[in-house]
C-alpha cells in the first residue's frame, strides 16, 4: 500500500482531524505535506458534506444540508520542484470506499444519492423536481443496490468527483470577478447563477488568524470545475487514468475528494452520484514547462483508464433543443437537448412503476452515457442518453405485451 500522506478518521468531522483539510480554493492555504515527484501516495477523503447525510429513510437531511461546508477536500499536497507552467502528472492507481465492511459512516458499506431542493442548489431538472429526495445505496463488491430504488443493480465506475491544483492569486481574482459579473445579471435567481466567496464555515487547512480571514474573504467555492480542474464529475476518471493538471503556484498544491461509487454522465441530480468517503492512491510526477509544450493552459486533460462496467445493451433516449413546456425553440442549445433526453427517459421508466424521483436517481447514479448527436442542424441540437438495460431485473425494452407496471415504492422524502 502507498504511504498515507493525508489521513482521515471517518468518525470525526474534517475540522477535527489531526491535520484538517479545506473547503475553499486559495493559493495561500498551507500545504499539509510535501512529496517528491515519482512518489506513490494514498489520500483518505471524507464524504463531501462532512457527514451531514445519514443512512435513514428521511430526506430531511438532504433538504437541510448546509452547503457552506462543501466540499471537504483532502490536502493540499505540495510537490517538490513544481513551478507555474509545469504539468502535474497524476496516475490513479486505486480508489474505493472506506476499507471496512459495514459501519455508521458514509463509505463504510453504503453511500447515498440525492435530489437537492431548488432553493438549496437544485439540480439539472430542478424545475421539474424542486423538492428534496434521497436514496441509500448498499455496496457489495463492485455492485450497488438500493432499498429506495428496487429492481436495479449495477456495477459502478468508482471515481473522484473533485481534484485540482491551487489557483494563482491572479487566477483566483479572475474567477471571482467573472462569476460575480454573472450573478449580477440576475442576482435574485433561485437557484443562484453562481456562488461567490462566503466566510461562513470556512475551513482553510492549518491557516489561522489574518491568513484564515483572507482565505475566507477571497477563497473560491468548490462547486464548479474551473481551469485548474476542480469538480469535474467525470465518471471515467477512474483506475488507470492519467491526468495532466496545469500548475499555477510553486508546489502545485493538489487537493481533492468528493469520491463517488457510481455516476452517470452529467451527475444530473447535483448530488447525483453515489457519494462516499474513501481512499485514493496516486502516482505523482512532473513535466517541466508542460503547459506551454503541450498547449494545456486552461483545463486539465486526461487519458481514461480501461476500467468500466461491460454493459452492451442500451435503450437510447433522444432530446432536442425545444422547451416543451411552452413549445419554445432554443438555438442549438445542447443543455436543453440533454435535459429533454433525460426527461424522456424518466417518462418511459414511469410506465414500469418507477416514480419520477426514482427514475431521476437511476439516471444520476447508473453508468448512463450522455452523447451529443449534433450541434450544427439549425435550430435544434440533438443529445442522447444511453441507458443500460441490463441493470434492471425486468426487460424494459419496447415489444411484447408492453410495459408491466409494478409498484416500486418511493425514495426517501422529507417530512
Amino acid at each position: 500500500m502507498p504511504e498515507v500522506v493525508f489521513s482521515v478518521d471517518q468518525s470525526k468531522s474534517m475540522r477535527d482531524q489531526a491535520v484538517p483539510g479545506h473547503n475553499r480554493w486559495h493559493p495561500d492555504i498551507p500545504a499539509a505535506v510535501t512529496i517528491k515527484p515519482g512518489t506513490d501516495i494514498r489520500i483518505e477523503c471524507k464524504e463531501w458534506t462532512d457527514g451531514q447525510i445519514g443512512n435513514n429513510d428521511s430526506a430531511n437531511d438532504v433538504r437541510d444540508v448546509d452547503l457552506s461546508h462543501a466540499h471537504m477536500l483532502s490536502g493540499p499536497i505540495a510537490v517538490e520542484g513544481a513551478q507555474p507552467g509545469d504539468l502535474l502528472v497524476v496516475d490513479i492507481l486505486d480508489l474505493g470506499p472506506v476499507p471496512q465492511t459495514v459501519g455508521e459512516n458514509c463509505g463504510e458499506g453504503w453511500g447515498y444519492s440525492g435530489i437537492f431542493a431548488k432553493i438549496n442548489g437544485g439540480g439539472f431538472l430542478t424545475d421539474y423536481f424542486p423538492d428534496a429526495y434521497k436514496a441509500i445505496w448498499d455496496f457489495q463488491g463492485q455492485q450497488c443496490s438500493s432499498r429506495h430504488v428496487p429492481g436495479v443493480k449495477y456495477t459502478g465506475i468508482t471515481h473522484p468527483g473533485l481534484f485540482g491544483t491551487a489557483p494563482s492569486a491572479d487566477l483566483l481574482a479572475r474567477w471571482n470577478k467573472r462569476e460575480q459579473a454573472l450573478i449580477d445579471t440576475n442576482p435574485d435567481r433561485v437557484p443562484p447563477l453562481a456562488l461567490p466567496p462566503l466566510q461562513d464555515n470556512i475551513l482553510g487547512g492549518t491557516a489561522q488568524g489574518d491568513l484564515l480571514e483572507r482565505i475566507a474573504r477571497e477563497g473560491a467555492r468548490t462547486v464548479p470545475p474551473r481551469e485548474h480542474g476542480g469538480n469535474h464529475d467525470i465518471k471515467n476518471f477512474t483506475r488507470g487514468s492519467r491526468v495532466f493538471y496545469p500548475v499555477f503556484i510553486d508546489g502545485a498544491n493538489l487537493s481533492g475528494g468528493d469520491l463517488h461509487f457510481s455516476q452517470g454522465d452529467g451527475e444530473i441530480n447535483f448530488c447525483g452520484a453515489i457519494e462516499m468517503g474513501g481512499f485514493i492512491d496516486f502516482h505523482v510526477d512532473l513535466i517541466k514547462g508542460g503547459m506551454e509544450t503541450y498547449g494545456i493552459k486552461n483545463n486539465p486533460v486526461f487519458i481514461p483508464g480501461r476500467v468500466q462496467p461491460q454493459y452492451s445493451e442500451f435503450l437510447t433516449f433522444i432530446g432536442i433543443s425545444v422547451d416543451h413546456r411552452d413549445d419554445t425553440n432554443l438555438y442549438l442549445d445542447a443543455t436543453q437537448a440533454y435535459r429533454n433526453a433525460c426527461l424522456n427517459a424518466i417518462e418511459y421508466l414511469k410506465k414500469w412503476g418507477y416514480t419520477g424521483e426514482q427514475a431521476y436517481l437511476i439516471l444520476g447514479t447508473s453508468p448512463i452515457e450522455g452523447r451529443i448527436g449534433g450541434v450544427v442542424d439549425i435550430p435544434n441540437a440533438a443529445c442522447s442518453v444511453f441507458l443500460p438495460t441490463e441493470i434492471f431485473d425486468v426487460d424494459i425494452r419496447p415489444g411484447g405485451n408492453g410495459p408491466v407496471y409494478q409498484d416500486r415504492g418511493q425514495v426517501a422524502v422529507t417530512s
Side-chain angles (χ1 to χ4, degrees):
M1 188 182 80
E3 179 187 1
V4 179
V5 300
F6 192 95
S7 61
V8 169
D9 181 341
Q10 297 290 339
S11 67
K12 298 179 179 179
S13 165
M14 180 65 88
R15 301 175 185 279
D16 298 326
Q17 304 296 322
V19 179
H22 60 102
N23 61 1
R24 302 291 189 271
W25 290 114
H26 196 283
D28 296 331
I29 295 174
V33 66
T34 299
I35 65 170
K36 294 180 180 294
T39 302
D40 292 352
I41 61 173
R42 171 170 290 194
I43 296 172
E44 297 175 346
C45 301
K46 187 78 177 173
E47 172 269 327
W48 74 292
T49 71
D50 201 26
Q52 296 183 61
I53 310 300
N55 185 348
N56 53 53
D57 298 321
S58 169
N60 289 357
D61 47 10
V62 171
R63 179 195 63 195
D64 301 332
V65 65
D66 186 346
L67 293 180
S68 66
H69 293 277
H71 294 78
M72 286 296 170
L73 305 184
S74 297
I77 312 299
V79 180
E80 192 174 293
Q83 296 175 304
D86 295 342
L87 285 177
L88 191 67
V89 184
V90 176
D91 289 298
I92 301 178
L93 306 177
D94 195 13
L95 76 161
V98 179
Q100 297 184 25
T101 303
V102 65
E104 297 181 355
N105 301 296
C106 186
E108 295 179 325
W110 66 277
Y112 71 89
S113 58
I115 300 171
F116 272 35
K118 185 173 182 177
I119 61 173
N120 198 19
F124 191 50
L125 305 180
T126 192
D127 289 340
Y128 301 85
F129 298 92
D131 300 318
Y133 299 89
K134 183 178 72 176
I136 299 298
W137 298 84
D138 295 312
F139 306 152
Q140 185 178 27
Q142 293 180 302
Q143 292 191 309
C144 60
S145 59
S146 173
R147 63 183 183 269
H148 296 125
V149 189
V152 293
K153 186 175 185 179
Y154 39 84
T155 302
I157 309 180
T158 310
H159 61 281
L162 193 163
F163 262 85
T165 53
S168 65
D170 175 69
L171 183 58
L172 174 62
R174 286 166 48 200
W175 291 351
N176 288 334
K177 180 179 179 181
R178 73 191 186 199
E179 290 173 22
Q180 186 60 54
L182 176 61
I183 293 168
D184 291 342
T185 64
N186 189 358
D188 298 323
R189 184 180 185 270
V190 177
L193 289 169
L195 300 174
L198 178 68
Q199 298 186 47
D200 295 350
N201 296 314
I202 178 73
L203 181 61
T206 57
Q208 297 180 355
D210 292 343
L211 174 58
L212 182 60
E213 291 182 9
R214 184 158 57 82
I215 292 170
R217 290 194 309 271
E218 302 171 354
R221 304 289 291 279
T222 61
V223 169
R226 299 184 181 92
E227 287 89 340
H228 69 140
N231 197 20
H232 278 133
D233 292 317
I234 299 171
K235 76 176 192 295
N236 298 91
F237 193 70
T238 185
R239 295 177 185 87
S241 296
R242 171 170 287 184
V243 194
F244 302 89
Y245 286 105
V247 175
F248 298 103
I249 68 168
D250 288 342
N253 279 17
L254 178 73
S255 300
D258 187 28
L259 302 188
H260 298 162
F261 189 87
S262 180
Q263 178 202 302
D265 283 338
E267 199 195 10
I268 61 173
N269 311 128
F270 178 45
C271 187
I274 299 177
E275 309 286 347
M276 66 179 189
F279 72 94
I280 181 164
D281 295 343
F282 290 131
H283 177 84
V284 181
D285 221 324
L286 282 174
I287 298 177
K288 299 299 294 181
M291 289 175 66
E292 179 63 32
T293 299
Y294 294 101
I296 301 173
K297 298 181 179 180
N298 288 324
N299 288 104
V301 300
F302 83 105
I303 301 170
R306 297 181 179 180
V307 177
Q308 63 179 353
Q310 298 300 306
Y311 293 114
S312 58
E313 297 180 359
F314 299 87
L315 190 59
T316 302
F317 300 87
I318 299 168
I320 59 174
S321 50
V322 173
D323 189 335
H324 295 294
R325 291 174 296 181
D326 56 9
D327 214 31
T328 299
N329 224 120
L330 288 78
Y331 180 76
L332 297 180
D333 190 320
T335 300
Q336 181 65 46
Y338 193 59
R339 182 177 291 117
N340 280 336
C342 294
L343 290 169
N344 291 339
I346 289 170
E347 287 304 309
Y348 185 91
L349 291 176
K350 286 164 69 174
K351 294 293 185 179
W352 299 86
Y354 290 102
T355 66
E357 294 78 23
Q358 288 174 323
Y360 189 10
L361 287 172
I362 289 171
L363 296 183
T365 59
S366 68
I368 65 168
E369 297 182 11
R371 300 184 185 179
I372 295 176
V375 287
V376 294
D377 299 316
I378 61 173
N380 287 335
C383 292
S384 55
V385 168
F386 284 56
L387 176 64
T389 57
E390 297 148 290
I391 69 175
F392 296 91
D393 63 0
V394 296
D395 186 354
I396 66 163
R397 294 171 297 181
N401 297 322
V404 178
Y405 185 94
Q406 298 181 39
D407 185 352
R408 300 178 185 275
Q410 174 61 307
V411 298
V413 302
T414 58
S415 60

